[in-house]
Amino acid sequence: MVVPPLLRAVIMGPPGSGKGTVSARIIKHFGVKHLSSGDLLRDNMQKRTEVGILAKSYIDQGQLIPDDIMTQLMLNEIKGLDQYNWLLDGFPRTVAQAEALDKECHIDTVIDLDVPFETIKCRLTARWIHPASGRVYNLEFSPPKVQGIDDITGEPLVQRDDDKPETVSKRLQAYDAQTKPVLEYYRKKGLLKSFSGTETNKIWPHIYAFLQTKLPDVSQKDAANPR
């Protein structure tokens, strides 16, 4: 039996595009290792590693973390995954990061979640939370019984700063400016596979069918032992 080559994939999509949900489904069905730059950063900052302390100093000043720091962080982690299929999330974010990644390994495919910004704005700005319990409401899918009030305690709901319309617009514009060149970089290499739509559940079957051409579905057998 011929062993298929290991998959080296990247997932891209603006905040609120359903990237977390899609990544979780890819992990479940295809047993890939998921490497999120955000999770890795938080972990390093929590453990106060050298890179973590350095990264935090930029974040605290409201600056973007320089390419070389992010690249070093991610490539160190990738080196430990050479026996596995993997999916990168949140990296590369710039063309310089993509070029540095190319020097280390060959990327097979880049999954791009192409969700209209208007859809994302509605999705994110519809989210309200009850701060004390962490209960989350969505005005579209799971609204509170009384607008602006927590169902259980009757206390007022709040909107996180991140979910306020003006902040969401800024985040989407920043993503667009930063990421367009990276999408273009992979498009020219013939690696970009865009999946368009407004609902994750409708986009997912297309992503699943595409990945099935590359990997077997392990969720039926034994998801505990990814290759």
Side-chain angles (χ1 to χ4, degrees), residues 34-220:
H34 177 241
L35 197 52
S36 152
S37 61
D39 291 349
L40 200 54
L41 267 177
R42 280 186 286 277
D43 191 44
N44 274 268
M45 288 193 287
Q46 217 171 355
K47 289 177 177 160
R48 297 187 63 76
T49 64
E50 199 179 327
V51 175
I53 291 166
L54 198 55
K56 190 174 185 315
S57 70
Y58 284 98
I59 290 170
D60 287 348
Q61 292 168 51
Q63 295 175 347
L64 287 173
I65 296 165
D67 285 336
D68 56 337
I69 296 175
M70 278 314 300
T71 302
Q72 180 196 341
L73 183 71
M74 292 299 282
L75 292 183
N76 280 347
E77 209 61 24
I78 286 167
K79 284 190 177 101
L81 296 178
D82 57 353
Q83 303 297 310
Y84 299 93
N85 297 305
W86 48 245
L87 176 71
L88 300 184
D89 180 350
F91 180 88
R93 278 233 169 110
T94 64
V95 172
Q97 290 176 10
E99 288 170 344
L101 179 61
D102 272 349
K103 289 194 179 102
E104 290 299 317
C105 56
H106 172 76
I107 295 298
D108 301 302
T109 191
V110 177
I111 294 166
D112 168 42
L113 303 182
D114 178 24
V115 180
F117 279 6
E118 277 313 307
T119 300
I120 291 172
K121 272 188 204 163
C122 292
R123 200 179 276 177
L124 293 182
T125 56
R127 193 163 52 184
W128 289 74
I129 60 167
H130 176 243
S133 67
R135 266 187 294 282
V136 178
Y137 295 88
N138 187 297
L139 302 185
E140 291 182 10
F141 313 121
S142 51
K145 291 181 185 126
V146 178
Q147 193 170 347
I149 301 292
D150 178 51
D151 287 353
I152 294 167
T153 63
E155 291 166 352
L157 299 174
V158 301
Q159 192 166 39
R160 287 183 348 179
D161 286 342
D162 263 8
D163 295 335
K164 288 179 177 162
E166 58 278 17
T167 315
V168 169
S169 291
K170 275 188 194 148
R171 282 169 74 201
L172 292 174
Q173 282 161 6
Y175 174 84
D176 204 32
Q178 196 182 31
T179 314
K180 240 187 199 144
V182 183
L183 293 174
E184 203 44 51
Y185 174 83
Y186 285 123
R187 188 176 282 117
K188 282 182 183 153
K189 285 176 165 283
L191 299 176
L192 191 70
K193 189 80 181 155
S194 283
F195 296 90
S196 306
T198 55
E199 290 175 46
T200 303
N201 284 342
K202 288 186 179 169
I203 297 175
W204 167 247
H206 300 283
I207 297 172
Y208 177 78
F210 168 67
L211 285 173
Q212 265 200 313
T213 65
K214 300 181 176 295
L215 291 174
D217 184 338
V218 296
S219 65
Q220 317 301 325

